[in-house]
Protein backbone atom coordinates (compact mmCIF):
# COMPACT_ATOMS: atom_id res chain seq x y z
CA UNK A 1 0.00 0.00 0.00
CA UNK A 2 1.26 3.48 -0.86
CA UNK A 3 2.24 5.61 2.13
CA UNK A 4 0.94 9.14 2.62
CA UNK A 5 3.77 11.63 1.85
CA UNK A 6 5.15 13.72 4.75
CA UNK A 7 3.22 16.92 5.42
CA UNK A 8 -0.11 15.40 4.39
CA UNK A 9 -2.88 14.59 6.83
CA UNK A 10 -3.08 10.92 7.74
CA UNK A 11 -5.78 8.69 6.31
CA UNK A 12 -8.58 7.65 8.61
CA UNK A 13 -8.93 3.97 9.42
CA UNK A 14 -11.86 3.78 7.00
CA UNK A 15 -9.87 5.39 4.19
CA UNK A 16 -6.91 3.06 4.76
CA UNK A 17 -9.20 0.07 4.48
CA UNK A 18 -10.87 1.42 1.33
CA UNK A 19 -7.53 2.25 -0.29
CA UNK A 20 -6.42 -1.33 0.18
CA UNK A 21 -9.67 -2.60 -1.34
CA UNK A 22 -9.32 -0.24 -4.29
CA UNK A 23 -5.73 -1.32 -4.95
CA UNK A 24 -6.92 -4.93 -5.08
CA UNK A 25 -9.78 -3.97 -7.37
CA UNK A 26 -7.55 -2.26 -9.95
CA UNK A 27 -5.02 -5.07 -9.83
CA UNK A 28 -7.78 -7.55 -10.58
CA UNK A 29 -9.04 -5.35 -13.42
CA UNK A 30 -5.56 -5.18 -14.94
CA UNK A 31 -5.38 -8.98 -15.02
CA UNK A 32 -8.89 -9.29 -16.43
CA UNK A 33 -7.94 -7.65 -19.73
CA UNK A 34 -11.42 -6.45 -20.70
CA UNK A 35 -11.33 -4.06 -23.64
CA UNK A 36 -13.21 -0.92 -24.48
CA UNK A 37 -15.09 -0.32 -27.70
CA UNK A 38 -12.93 0.42 -30.77
CA UNK A 39 -12.00 4.07 -31.14
CA UNK A 40 -14.48 4.83 -33.98
CA UNK A 41 -17.40 3.49 -31.97
CA UNK A 42 -16.21 5.32 -28.87
CA UNK A 43 -16.01 8.63 -30.75
CA UNK A 44 -19.48 8.06 -32.17
CA UNK A 45 -20.93 8.30 -28.68
CA UNK A 46 -20.59 12.08 -28.86
CA UNK A 47 -20.90 14.46 -25.94
CA UNK A 48 -22.73 12.26 -23.47
CA UNK A 49 -22.96 14.86 -20.73
CA UNK A 50 -24.40 17.45 -23.10
CA UNK A 51 -27.15 15.13 -24.34
CA UNK A 52 -27.78 13.27 -21.09
CA UNK A 53 -30.40 15.67 -19.77
CA UNK A 54 -32.72 15.51 -22.79
CA UNK A 55 -32.14 12.05 -24.25
CA UNK A 56 -34.89 10.40 -22.25
CA UNK A 57 -37.23 13.32 -23.01
CA UNK A 58 -36.77 12.58 -26.70
CA UNK A 59 -37.47 8.90 -26.09
CA UNK A 60 -40.62 9.81 -24.21
CA UNK A 61 -41.83 12.02 -27.04
CA UNK A 62 -41.11 9.27 -29.56
CA UNK A 63 -43.27 6.83 -27.63
CA UNK A 64 -46.00 9.40 -27.09
CA UNK A 65 -46.22 9.92 -30.85
CA UNK A 66 -47.41 6.32 -31.15
CA UNK A 67 -49.82 6.29 -28.25
CA UNK A 68 -53.09 7.40 -29.95
CA UNK A 69 -52.67 4.84 -32.73
CA UNK A 70 -51.86 2.06 -30.28
CA UNK A 71 -54.88 2.76 -28.14
CA UNK A 72 -57.14 2.89 -31.19
CA UNK A 73 -55.85 -0.44 -32.52
CA UNK A 74 -56.09 -2.03 -29.10
CA UNK A 75 -59.74 -1.07 -28.92
CA UNK A 76 -60.47 -2.78 -32.25
CA UNK A 77 -58.76 -5.99 -31.18
CA UNK A 78 -55.76 -5.72 -33.50
CA UNK A 79 -53.33 -6.21 -30.61
CA UNK A 80 -52.81 -9.41 -28.69
CA UNK A 81 -54.55 -8.88 -25.35
CA UNK A 82 -51.35 -9.38 -23.37
CA UNK A 83 -49.76 -6.36 -25.09
CA UNK A 84 -52.60 -3.83 -24.78
CA UNK A 85 -51.25 -1.92 -21.74
CA UNK A 86 -47.58 -2.14 -22.69
CA UNK A 87 -47.10 1.06 -24.62
CA UNK A 88 -48.99 3.23 -22.15
CA UNK A 89 -46.94 1.75 -19.30
CA UNK A 90 -43.70 2.39 -21.18
CA UNK A 91 -44.63 6.04 -21.76
CA UNK A 92 -45.22 6.45 -18.03
CA UNK A 93 -41.90 4.76 -17.29
CA UNK A 94 -40.03 6.99 -19.74
CA UNK A 95 -41.51 10.10 -18.18
CA UNK A 96 -40.29 8.90 -14.77
CA UNK A 97 -36.84 8.09 -16.17
CA UNK A 98 -36.65 11.59 -17.57
CA UNK A 99 -37.20 13.00 -14.08
CA UNK A 100 -34.46 10.74 -12.72
CA UNK A 101 -31.97 11.85 -15.37
CA UNK A 102 -32.59 15.50 -14.49
CA UNK A 103 -32.22 14.77 -10.76
CA UNK A 104 -29.07 12.68 -11.19
CA UNK A 105 -27.31 15.37 -13.20
CA UNK A 106 -28.02 18.13 -10.69
CA UNK A 107 -25.05 18.64 -8.32
CA UNK A 108 -27.31 20.47 -5.85
CA UNK A 109 -28.88 17.12 -4.97
CA UNK A 110 -25.53 15.90 -3.64
CA UNK A 111 -24.81 19.11 -1.76
CA UNK A 112 -28.29 19.06 -0.24
CA UNK A 113 -27.70 15.47 0.94
CA UNK A 114 -24.77 16.61 3.07
CA UNK A 115 -26.41 19.81 4.31
CA UNK A 116 -29.37 17.79 5.55
CA UNK A 117 -26.88 15.86 7.69
CA UNK A 118 -25.43 18.99 9.25
CA UNK A 119 -22.38 19.43 7.04
CA UNK A 120 -21.73 23.01 5.97
CA UNK A 121 -21.00 22.32 2.29
CA UNK A 122 -21.40 24.90 -0.46
CA UNK A 123 -19.38 23.44 -3.36
CA UNK A 124 -18.15 20.19 -4.86
CA UNK A 125 -14.58 21.10 -3.97
CA UNK A 126 -15.48 21.19 -0.28
CA UNK A 127 -16.74 17.63 -0.49
CA UNK A 128 -13.21 16.42 -1.17
CA UNK A 129 -12.18 17.59 2.31
CA UNK A 130 -14.63 15.21 3.98
CA UNK A 131 -13.73 11.72 5.08
CA UNK A 132 -14.34 9.14 2.36
CA UNK A 133 -16.79 7.35 4.62
CA UNK A 134 -19.17 10.30 4.40
CA UNK A 135 -18.89 10.43 0.61
CA UNK A 136 -19.42 6.69 0.24
CA UNK A 137 -22.62 7.04 2.25
CA UNK A 138 -24.10 9.19 -0.52
CA UNK A 139 -23.88 6.32 -3.01
CA UNK A 140 -24.43 3.34 -0.69
CA UNK A 141 -27.30 1.26 -2.02
CA UNK A 142 -27.22 3.05 -5.36
CA UNK A 143 -26.12 -0.04 -7.29
CA UNK A 144 -28.98 -2.16 -5.95
CA UNK A 145 -31.49 0.59 -6.66
CA UNK A 146 -30.42 0.93 -10.28
CA UNK A 147 -30.21 -2.81 -10.80
CA UNK A 148 -33.87 -2.95 -9.83
CA UNK A 149 -34.84 0.02 -12.00
CA UNK A 150 -32.85 -1.38 -14.93
CA UNK A 151 -34.65 -4.70 -14.68
CA UNK A 152 -38.03 -3.00 -14.88
CA UNK A 153 -37.04 -0.70 -17.74
CA UNK A 154 -35.46 -3.53 -19.73
CA UNK A 155 -38.45 -5.81 -19.29
CA UNK A 156 -40.89 -3.08 -20.30
CA UNK A 157 -39.04 -2.14 -23.47
CA UNK A 158 -38.38 -5.80 -24.26
CA UNK A 159 -42.13 -6.35 -24.18
CA UNK A 160 -42.69 -3.23 -26.28
CA UNK A 161 -40.64 -4.83 -29.05
CA UNK A 162 -43.40 -7.41 -29.51
CA UNK A 163 -45.91 -4.83 -30.75
CA UNK A 164 -46.36 -5.11 -34.55
CA UNK A 165 -44.03 -2.98 -36.66
CA UNK A 166 -46.60 -0.52 -38.11
CA UNK A 167 -47.29 0.71 -34.57
CA UNK A 168 -43.97 0.48 -32.74
CA UNK A 169 -42.01 -2.68 -33.50
CA UNK A 170 -38.63 -3.94 -32.41
CA UNK A 171 -36.60 -1.25 -34.19
CA UNK A 172 -38.27 1.60 -32.31
CA UNK A 173 -38.31 -0.32 -29.02
CA UNK A 174 -34.62 -1.15 -29.26
CA UNK A 175 -33.86 2.42 -30.27
CA UNK A 176 -35.73 3.74 -27.25
CA UNK A 177 -33.93 1.28 -25.00
CA UNK A 178 -30.48 2.29 -26.24
CA UNK A 179 -31.27 5.99 -25.88
CA UNK A 180 -32.58 5.44 -22.35
CA UNK A 181 -29.56 3.36 -21.36
CA UNK A 182 -27.14 5.94 -22.78
CA UNK A 183 -28.84 8.72 -20.86
CA UNK A 184 -29.13 6.74 -17.62
CA UNK A 185 -25.54 5.48 -17.74
CA UNK A 186 -24.19 8.99 -18.29
CA UNK A 187 -26.48 10.41 -15.59
CA UNK A 188 -25.54 7.74 -13.04
CA UNK A 189 -21.82 8.18 -13.67
CA UNK A 190 -22.30 11.94 -13.40
CA UNK A 191 -24.04 11.59 -10.02
CA UNK A 192 -21.21 9.43 -8.68
CA UNK A 193 -18.64 11.99 -9.83
CA UNK A 194 -20.55 14.70 -7.98
CA UNK A 195 -20.70 12.45 -4.91
CA UNK A 196 -16.90 12.41 -4.71
CA UNK A 197 -16.55 16.14 -5.33
CA UNK A 198 -15.69 16.12 -9.02
CA UNK A 199 -17.31 18.03 -11.88
CA UNK A 200 -17.89 15.88 -15.01
CA UNK A 201 -17.30 18.95 -17.21
CA UNK A 202 -13.60 18.54 -16.35
CA UNK A 203 -11.97 16.70 -19.33
CA UNK A 204 -10.38 13.99 -17.21
CA UNK A 205 -13.57 13.22 -15.33
CA UNK A 206 -15.70 13.45 -18.46
CA UNK A 207 -13.52 10.77 -20.02
CA UNK A 208 -14.58 8.41 -17.24
CA UNK A 209 -18.26 9.14 -17.91
CA UNK A 210 -17.74 8.43 -21.62
CA UNK A 211 -16.12 5.12 -20.66
CA UNK A 212 -19.20 4.14 -18.70
CA UNK A 213 -21.46 4.90 -21.67
CA UNK A 214 -19.19 2.94 -24.04
CA UNK A 215 -19.31 0.06 -21.59
CA UNK A 216 -23.11 0.04 -21.66
CA UNK A 217 -23.17 -0.16 -25.47
CA UNK A 218 -20.80 -3.12 -25.52
CA UNK A 219 -22.70 -5.05 -22.89
CA UNK A 220 -26.04 -4.61 -24.67
CA UNK A 221 -25.03 -6.34 -27.91
CA UNK A 222 -26.32 -9.78 -26.90
CA UNK A 223 -29.57 -8.33 -25.58
CA UNK A 224 -30.26 -6.48 -28.83
CA UNK A 225 -29.80 -9.66 -30.86
CA UNK A 226 -32.11 -11.64 -28.58
CA UNK A 227 -34.85 -8.99 -28.63
CA UNK A 228 -34.71 -8.71 -32.41
CA UNK A 229 -34.86 -12.47 -32.88
CA UNK A 230 -37.76 -12.81 -30.45
CA UNK A 231 -39.68 -9.95 -32.08
CA UNK A 232 -39.14 -11.32 -35.58
CA UNK A 233 -40.32 -14.79 -34.56
CA UNK A 234 -43.35 -13.38 -32.72
CA UNK A 235 -44.41 -11.44 -35.82
CA UNK A 236 -43.74 -14.30 -38.27
CA UNK A 237 -45.74 -16.83 -36.25
CA UNK A 238 -48.86 -14.69 -35.86
CA UNK A 239 -51.88 -16.62 -37.13
CA UNK A 240 -49.81 -19.72 -37.98
CA UNK A 241 -51.29 -23.10 -37.16
CA UNK A 242 -48.70 -25.54 -38.49
CA UNK A 243 -44.94 -25.60 -38.22
CA UNK A 244 -42.81 -25.62 -41.36
CA UNK A 245 -39.16 -26.32 -42.03
CA UNK A 246 -38.68 -22.72 -43.11
CA UNK A 247 -40.32 -21.31 -39.95
CA UNK A 248 -38.01 -23.36 -37.76
CA UNK A 249 -34.90 -22.50 -39.77
CA UNK A 250 -35.68 -18.78 -39.98
CA UNK A 251 -36.57 -18.49 -36.31
CA UNK A 252 -34.33 -20.82 -34.38
CA UNK A 253 -35.04 -19.12 -31.09
CA UNK A 254 -38.72 -20.06 -31.34
CA UNK A 255 -37.77 -23.54 -32.56
CA UNK A 256 -35.65 -23.93 -29.43
CA UNK A 257 -38.66 -22.99 -27.30
CA UNK A 258 -40.69 -25.60 -29.18
CA UNK A 259 -38.11 -28.27 -28.33
CA UNK A 260 -38.07 -27.23 -24.69
CA UNK A 261 -41.86 -27.34 -24.41
CA UNK A 262 -41.98 -30.63 -26.26
CA UNK A 263 -39.45 -32.15 -23.88
CA UNK A 264 -41.36 -30.86 -20.84
CA UNK A 265 -44.61 -32.25 -22.29
CA UNK A 266 -43.31 -35.77 -22.76
CA UNK A 267 -42.87 -35.48 -26.51
CA UNK A 268 -46.34 -34.15 -27.29
CA UNK A 269 -46.79 -31.83 -30.26
CA UNK A 270 -46.34 -28.13 -29.42
CA UNK A 271 -48.66 -25.75 -31.32
CA UNK A 272 -46.98 -22.79 -33.01
CA UNK A 273 -49.00 -20.37 -30.88
CA UNK A 274 -47.62 -21.91 -27.68
CA UNK A 275 -44.00 -21.45 -28.75
CA UNK A 276 -44.84 -17.97 -30.06
CA UNK A 277 -46.09 -16.85 -26.66
CA UNK A 278 -42.68 -17.58 -25.22
CA UNK A 279 -41.13 -14.81 -27.32
CA UNK A 280 -42.33 -11.83 -25.22
CA UNK A 281 -40.99 -13.57 -22.12
CA UNK A 282 -37.57 -14.10 -23.71
CA UNK A 283 -37.49 -10.51 -24.90
CA UNK A 284 -38.44 -9.20 -21.47
CA UNK A 285 -35.92 -11.41 -19.66
CA UNK A 286 -33.11 -10.43 -22.04
CA UNK A 287 -33.84 -6.74 -21.54
CA UNK A 288 -34.28 -7.02 -17.78
CA UNK A 289 -31.14 -9.04 -17.13
CA UNK A 290 -28.87 -6.93 -19.31
CA UNK A 291 -30.10 -3.52 -18.20
CA UNK A 292 -30.04 -4.54 -14.55
CA UNK A 293 -26.43 -5.62 -14.88
CA UNK A 294 -25.33 -2.58 -16.91
CA UNK A 295 -26.79 0.03 -14.56
CA UNK A 296 -25.62 -1.72 -11.40
CA UNK A 297 -22.15 -2.19 -12.86
CA UNK A 298 -22.01 1.47 -13.89
CA UNK A 299 -22.56 2.51 -10.27
CA UNK A 300 -19.96 0.05 -8.98
CA UNK A 301 -17.24 1.01 -11.46
CA UNK A 302 -17.88 4.74 -11.11
CA UNK A 303 -17.66 4.47 -7.31
CA UNK A 304 -14.31 2.67 -7.55
CA UNK A 305 -13.02 5.34 -9.89
CA UNK A 306 -14.28 8.29 -7.84
CA UNK A 307 -12.96 6.96 -4.52
CA UNK A 308 -9.56 6.08 -5.99
CA UNK A 309 -9.01 9.47 -7.63
CA UNK A 310 -10.21 11.24 -4.49
CA UNK A 311 -7.83 9.45 -2.13
CA UNK A 312 -4.92 9.83 -4.54
CA UNK A 313 -5.54 13.58 -4.86
CA UNK A 314 -6.21 14.11 -1.18
CA UNK A 315 -3.15 12.29 0.13
CA UNK A 316 -0.67 12.69 -2.75
CA UNK A 317 -0.71 8.98 -3.58
CA UNK A 318 0.11 7.39 -6.91
CA UNK A 319 -2.83 6.06 -8.86
CA UNK A 320 -2.83 2.30 -9.49
CA UNK A 321 -0.83 1.52 -12.64
CA UNK A 322 -3.75 0.20 -14.66
CA UNK A 323 -5.94 3.22 -13.89
CA UNK A 324 -3.13 5.67 -14.58
CA UNK A 325 -2.42 4.06 -17.96
CA UNK A 326 -6.08 4.23 -18.91
CA UNK A 327 -6.33 7.90 -18.00
CA UNK A 328 -3.18 8.75 -19.96
CA UNK A 329 -4.04 6.90 -23.17
CA UNK A 330 -4.89 8.85 -26.29
CA UNK A 331 -8.53 8.92 -27.31
CA UNK A 332 -7.72 7.19 -30.60
CA UNK A 333 -6.40 4.02 -28.97
CA UNK A 334 -8.14 0.96 -27.59
CA UNK A 335 -8.17 1.00 -23.82
CA UNK A 336 -8.03 -1.63 -21.13
CA UNK A 337 -11.29 -1.41 -19.24
CA UNK A 338 -11.10 0.53 -16.03
Amino acid sequence: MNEVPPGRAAMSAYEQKRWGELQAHWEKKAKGGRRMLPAPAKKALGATIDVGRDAVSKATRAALDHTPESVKKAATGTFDAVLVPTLRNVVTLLELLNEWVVELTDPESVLAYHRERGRNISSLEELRELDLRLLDECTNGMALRWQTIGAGEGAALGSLAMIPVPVVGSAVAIGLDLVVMQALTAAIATRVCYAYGYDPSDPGIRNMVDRMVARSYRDQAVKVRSVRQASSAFDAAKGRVNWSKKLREDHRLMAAVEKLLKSAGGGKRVPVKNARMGMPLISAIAGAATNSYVLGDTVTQARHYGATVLLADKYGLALPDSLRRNMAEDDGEDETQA
Side-chain angles (χ1 to χ4, degrees), residues 62 65-70 72-73 78-79 87 160-172 231 235 238:
D65 288 342
H66 296 285
T67 301
E69 182 69 15
S70 72
K72 180 176 68 177
K73 287 185 176 292
T78 303
F79 280 18
L87 188 55
L160 183 64
M162 298 295 104
I163 295 178
V165 172
V167 181
V168 178
S170 63
V172 172
S231 177
D235 187 50
K238 186 174 178 63

Side-chain angles (χ1 to χ4, degrees), residues 2 120 127 145 150-151 177 219 231 251 255 262 266 322 326 333:
N2 294 341
N120 186 21
L127 288 178
R145 179 191 182 196
D177 189 30
D219 290 336
S231 177
H251 303 285
K262 192 172 184 178
S322 62
N326 286 339
E333 297 176 2

Side-chain angles (χ1 to χ4, degrees), residues 22 28 45 55 81 83-84 86 95 141 146 152 157 161 169 179 213 232 329:
L22 291 165
K28 181 179 178 181
L45 292 174
L83 298 176
V84 171
T86 301
E95 291 172 338
W146 284 100
L157 288 174
V179 167
V213 178
S232 177
E329 284 175 343

Side-chain angles (χ1 to χ4, degrees), residues 132-162:
L132 179 61
R133 177 181 61 82
L134 302 179
L135 304 184
D136 277 347
E137 285 179 358
C138 188
T139 55
N140 282 344
M142 193 173 172
L144 179 59
R145 179 191 182 196
W146 284 100
Q147 283 175 339
T148 304
I149 293 172
E153 182 272 337
L157 288 174
S159 298
L160 183 64
M162 298 295 104

Side-chain angles (χ1 to χ4, degrees), residues 88-98 100 152-153 156-157:
R88 283 170 289 181
N89 292 346
V90 167
V91 170
T92 300
L93 174 62
L94 288 171
E95 291 172 338
L96 179 59
L97 290 173
N98 182 64
W100 277 329
E153 182 272 337
L157 288 174

Side-chain angles (χ1 to χ4, degrees), residues 7 9 13 56 60 84 95 100 134 242 261 298 305 313:
V56 178
T60 304
V84 171
E95 291 172 338
W100 277 329
L134 302 179
N242 298 317
L261 294 176
T298 296
Y305 179 94
D313 286 348

